[in-house]
């Protein structure tokens, strides 16, 4: 059997388990995008708030998460915190790796999203808020009707990049044995030693997924661009 | 209609307004002139609390708006403002720009608000631009929509902050004409402007501001042809 034949054989053989892994990867990423957006929006408004009860915790959150590696955050969340709880209560505490993975990725992504959302809101011209307020609209109404619709258009493109980064970064969850795409590739290699075809296949599946996200985002951007013809 | 008593405003150490006292009667058109940095825009922005006065009191239609218990939003419903840079909402059509606040703030139904908005667009001569977005309008058209937007709240007072300063010269006239019509209808107006022609023709009174105080005030005739203060004279000699 030639090398090429052998590689093709492995690429086909690894595929079903990669598909199963891809489902987990997409699942984790989707949940993390959802919760990360919520966290990011809350933290963005916290950082924009004039009141330090909101501002300081938001800033600490964003700085801590952005200043430390995701890999280390995963280790802290999955091993460190259960260990701490164990130490305090004396009871064994376990987290499901997928739940832990979704939580860490959401928290991590939220910090980056916070900066994107904050920057988007800040870059809407100040005169817009003044005009809205001068008409008697409350701060909340002005934010909802005037500022956010304009900010969203500025926020979507960088947010898309963030989602793609998140999908790729979720491969780090292999370290806490979440059976996502990379982990399943590694498992296959550990049985067959066919590293090249297996990991190339893993890479290609990631590529397909990220291209899928790009497509969806382009569609959303185009939709917003048509209905919203501002400068 | 508007009463201002010893109004001060500082930004940090910079004192921008140093004691403004003035009354504007109902249906009066008061033009505020003066060099840039004289505090005239800040004075105007204090009248709807876009700037919070450092000290001093302001009454609008008998209500003390500088009272800390007052609902700022309620006050602003009665005080329309037109900005130098128009500040139309770029993600909404001209019609929606005008109808938004009446719906959200006054609680009008969409139909009532859009009817009112159409009538106002007609009034400013832009009835055919209802479904156009601001970036497809010329500067003069945008400013007319902005005036219509402020009027849609049926304010008691209209504030104009250099409404023609960002316009190409050939568009100044169309905006001033809308403002003249408004003055004729008896709207109380405070206009910060460099348009001396407008001040002379439409203004009941002119205030000349410099370095945070009202240096001189009087009828347009008095200010433009018989100014008493040297500062007023030197300013006018530069711009007339």
């Amino acid at each position: 059997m030639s090398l090429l034949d052998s590689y093709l054989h492995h690429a086909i053989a690894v595929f079903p388990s990669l598909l199963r892994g891809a489902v987990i990867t997409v699942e984790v990423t989707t949940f993390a995008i959802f919760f990360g957006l919520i966290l990011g929006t809350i933290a963005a408004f916290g950082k924009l708030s004039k009141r330090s009860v909101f501002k300081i915790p938001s800033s600490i959150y964003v700085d801590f998460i952005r200043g430390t590696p995701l890999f280390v955050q995963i280790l802290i969340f999955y091993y460190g915190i259960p260990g701490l709880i164990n130490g305090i209560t004396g009871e064994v505490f376990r987290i499901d790796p997928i739940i832990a993975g979704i939580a860490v990725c959401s928290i991590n992504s939220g910090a980056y999203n916070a900066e994107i959302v904050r920057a988007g809101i800040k870059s809407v011209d100040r005169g817009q808020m003044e005009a809205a307020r001068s008409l008697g609209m409350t701060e909340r109404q002005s934010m909802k009707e005037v500022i956010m619709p304009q900010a969203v258009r500025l926020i979507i493109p960088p947010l898309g990049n963030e989602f793609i980064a998140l999908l790729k970064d979720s491969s780090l969850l292999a370290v806490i044995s979440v059976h996502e795409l990379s982990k399943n590739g590694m498992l296959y290699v550990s049985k067959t030693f066919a590293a090249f075809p297996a990991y190339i296949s893993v890479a290609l599946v990631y590529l397909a997924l990220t291209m899928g996200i790009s497509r969806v985002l382009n569609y959303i951007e185009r939709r917003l661009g048509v209905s919203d013809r501002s400068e | 209609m508007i009463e201002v008593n010893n109004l001060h405003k500082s930004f940090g150490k910079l004192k921008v307004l140093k004691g403004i006292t003035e009354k504007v009667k109902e249906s009066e058109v008061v033009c505020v002139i003066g060099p840039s940095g004289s505090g005239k825009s800040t004075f105007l922005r204090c009248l709807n609390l876009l700037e919070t006065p450092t000290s001093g009191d302001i009454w609008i239609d008998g209500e003390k708006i500088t009272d800390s218990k007052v609902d700022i939003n309620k006050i602003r419903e009665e005080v329309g403002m037109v900005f130098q840079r128009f500040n139309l909402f770029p993600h909404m059509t001209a019609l929606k720009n005008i109808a938004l606040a009446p719906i959200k703030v006054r609680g009008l139904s969409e139909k009532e608000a859009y009817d009112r908005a159409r009538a106002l667009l007609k009034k400013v001569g832009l009835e055919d631009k209802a479904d156009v977005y601001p970036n497809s309008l010329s500067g003069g058209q945008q400013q007319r929509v902005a005036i219509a937007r402020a009027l849609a709240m049926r304010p008691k007072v209209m504030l104009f902050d250099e409404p023609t300063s960002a316009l190409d010269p050939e568009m100044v006239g169309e905006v001033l004409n809308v403002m003249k019509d408004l003055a004729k209808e008896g709207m109380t107006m405070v206009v910060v402007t460099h348009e001396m022609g407008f001040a002379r023709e439409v203004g009941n009174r002119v205030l000349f501001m410099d370095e945070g105080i009202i240096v001189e005030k009087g009828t347009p005739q008095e200010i433009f042809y018989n100014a008493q203060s040297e500062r007023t004279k030197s300013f006018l000699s530069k711009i007339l």
Side-chain angles (χ1 to χ4, degrees):
Chain A
M1 206 159 66
S2 76
L3 190 62
L4 183 65
D5 284 340
S6 139
Y7 278 5
L8 276 176
H9 163 76
H10 282 299
I12 293 163
V14 76
F15 201 67
S17 94
L18 293 191
L19 272 188
R20 283 196 301 279
V23 171
I24 303 287
T25 293
V26 169
E27 197 177 293
V28 169
T29 307
T30 309
F31 278 109
I33 285 174
F34 178 75
F35 292 117
L37 264 180
I38 294 173
L39 274 175
T41 309
I42 292 170
F45 279 102
K47 282 194 78 168
L48 287 169
S49 169
K50 290 180 197 100
R51 295 173 53 186
S52 46
V53 252
F54 299 125
K55 197 184 182 88
I56 291 172
S58 305
S59 299
I60 291 174
Y61 162 59
V62 171
D63 289 346
F64 181 80
I65 296 298
R66 297 208 313 164
T68 56
L70 175 59
F71 186 66
V72 177
Q73 291 163 15
I74 293 168
L75 296 176
I76 291 174
F77 201 91
Y78 188 67
Y79 296 112
I81 291 176
L84 176 73
I85 292 173
N86 189 6
I88 293 168
T89 65
E91 282 172 44
V92 179
F93 182 80
R94 286 202 168 278
I95 314 178
D96 178 73
I98 292 187
I99 302 290
I102 289 171
V104 179
C105 286
S106 302
I107 292 168
N108 181 273
S109 170
Y112 290 92
N113 293 346
E115 285 301 279
I116 292 168
V117 172
R118 190 183 65 92
I121 291 171
K122 285 288 263 186
S123 51
V124 175
D125 183 41
R126 246 184 84 217
Q128 292 288 310
M129 182 54 106
E130 290 187 348
R133 297 305 304 274
S134 79
L135 291 163
M137 294 207 276
T138 62
E139 179 145 25
R140 186 181 287 256
Q141 284 174 327
S142 309
M143 201 41 115
K144 176 165 166 271
E145 303 291 336
V146 175
I147 305 299
M148 284 314 284
Q150 297 182 59
V152 163
R153 290 175 58 257
L154 303 167
I155 288 169
I156 296 245
L159 217 47
N161 293 336
E162 179 50 35
F163 295 160
I164 289 169
L166 178 62
L167 183 120
K168 293 185 291 179
D169 289 348
S170 71
S171 62
L172 287 172
L173 295 174
V175 75
I176 56 170
S177 59
V178 173
H179 286 247
E180 44 69 63
L181 187 44
S182 306
K183 178 72 179 177
N184 282 2
M186 287 161 76
L187 287 172
Y188 184 83
V189 173
S190 69
K191 281 182 287 185
T192 62
F193 302 104
F196 186 78
Y199 288 140
I200 288 290
S201 303
V202 167
L204 289 176
V205 176
Y206 274 114
L207 185 64
L209 292 177
T210 51
M211 283 171 71
I213 296 187
S214 295
R215 281 281 171 84
V216 173
L217 288 164
N218 279 337
Y219 174 75
I220 294 173
E221 271 178 54
R222 262 205 319 276
R223 282 283 310 267
L224 283 171
V226 171
S227 64
D228 185 357
R229 291 176 295 167
S230 60
E231 301 103 317
Chain B
M1 181 59 79
I2 304 175
E3 202 171 331
V4 179
N5 187 27
N6 201 21
L7 177 69
H8 286 76
K9 174 68 185 175
S10 305
F11 294 103
K13 278 186 185 154
L14 183 69
K15 288 181 183 158
V16 181
L17 297 180
K18 301 169 190 165
I20 304 277
T21 300
E22 185 56 46
K23 276 183 192 169
V24 178
K25 292 196 281 285
E26 193 167 344
S27 295
E28 203 174 22
V29 177
V30 174
C31 294
V32 185
I33 62 170
S36 48
S38 60
K40 53 195 194 305
S41 279
T42 306
F43 168 55
L44 196 74
R45 290 162 60 86
C46 282
L47 296 181
N48 69 350
L49 300 181
L50 276 184
E51 304 291 352
T52 312
T54 308
S55 69
D57 289 311
I58 302 169
W59 289 263
I60 294 201
D61 201 24
E63 190 151 11
K64 188 176 178 184
I65 68 168
T66 39
D67 198 320
S68 61
K69 288 188 290 269
V70 87
D71 181 355
I72 296 179
N73 299 316
K74 278 273 169 272
I75 302 298
R76 288 181 179 142
E77 289 173 27
E78 310 301 332
V79 183
M81 179 138 189
V82 174
F83 299 86
Q84 184 178 355
R85 305 251 2 135
F86 330 131
N87 296 351
L88 288 182
F89 307 136
H91 57 300
M92 297 175 188
T93 62
L95 197 70
K96 185 84 197 289
N97 260 279
I98 301 169
L100 179 70
I103 293 171
K104 297 293 167 192
V105 181
R106 293 275 199 224
L108 261 62
S109 73
E110 296 220 343
K111 183 175 182 312
E112 287 173 300
Y114 285 123
D115 286 349
R116 187 185 284 190
R118 276 204 187 81
L120 283 164
L121 274 178
K122 190 165 182 216
K123 185 187 170 92
V124 299
L126 293 170
E127 63 242 85
D128 55 331
K129 301 291 186 189
D131 299 321
V132 172
Y133 284 85
N135 70 333
S136 318
L137 295 170
S138 73
Q141 291 170 334
Q142 288 192 51
Q143 193 62 300
R144 281 144 71 195
V145 173
I147 293 172
R149 179 175 68 177
L151 289 175
M153 291 296 288
R154 308 242 163 107
K156 293 175 180 148
V157 178
M158 285 282 283
L159 309 175
F160 293 84
D161 189 4
E162 302 195 26
T164 57
S165 299
L167 296 177
D168 291 335
E170 74 266 29
M171 292 169 185
V172 169
E174 62 191 65
V175 171
L176 291 182
N177 282 334
V178 169
M179 291 168 63
K180 278 178 205 164
D181 290 345
L182 210 52
K184 274 185 216 142
E185 289 167 21
M187 178 62 80
T188 310
M189 294 162 64
V190 182
V191 187
V192 171
T193 186
H194 294 298
E195 293 297 326
M196 297 306 148
F198 176 83
R200 262 185 301 214
E201 194 181 334
V202 184
N204 300 109
R205 281 191 305 125
V206 174
L207 311 179
F208 172 68
M209 279 183 70
D210 194 14
E211 293 180 4
I213 55 165
I214 296 174
V215 175
E216 191 165 357
K217 55 187 168 189
T219 64
Q221 288 291 328
E222 286 165 352
I223 298 292
F224 290 120
Y225 302 112
N226 194 20
Q228 303 300 311
S229 146
E230 282 308 314
R231 273 198 278 176
T232 315
K233 281 184 206 161
S234 101
F235 174 73
L236 290 172
S237 72
K238 281 177 206 141
I239 57 158
L240 287 179

